[in-house]
Amino acid sequence: MRRAPRQAAAGDRISLSLPAEPASLALARTAAIGLLHHRAGGAARGAHLASVVTELAGAGLARARTRDRLRVHFDVGTTSVIVTVEIRRPGRWQPAGHFLETRTVNLDQDGVRSRRGTGRR
């Protein structure tokens, strides 16, 4: 069975893996602004996406330890961007330290939907 060819602008996933430190907030924010600028989303929507990323990453960094990794995933669709921020610990899984939160930023309107989760996926 054949699949239809994927459109270049729909369903793309961009991921960042950064050290869990305050300087990573600026990198994640800049990536969010550049993502929508590159996708012709406009400056206002880019700033809105950047504020959502900063809020989620800040909440994750508040729970992070020194060796943890901050992972930011942008799932770009035609009408929305789903932002997922997680904190990963090296080594074995530790339930008290895992952070995972997802928000959807609509590109058509200025709405934001949120889904929060901690623990196992």
Side-chain angles (χ1 to χ4, degrees), residues 15-94:
S15 297
L16 300 172
S17 180
L18 304 165
E21 57 187 35
S24 297
L25 283 176
L27 293 172
R29 182 176 173 81
T30 303
I33 291 171
L35 175 72
L36 282 189
H37 179 71
H38 178 69
R39 298 281 182 167
R45 285 183 176 56
H48 180 65
L49 180 63
S51 69
V52 168
V53 168
T54 302
E55 179 184 339
L56 293 177
L61 288 177
R63 293 182 172 184
R65 293 182 185 167
T66 307
R67 293 181 49 208
D68 291 349
R69 297 294 293 177
L70 172 69
R71 293 193 180 174
V72 182
H73 305 285
F74 299 99
D75 293 309
V76 182
T78 55
T79 60
S80 64
V81 177
I82 300 171
V83 179
T84 304
V85 174
E86 63 180 323
I87 295 292
R88 286 279 179 104
R89 294 228 159 103
R92 62 180 196 183
W93 184 74
Q94 299 176 3

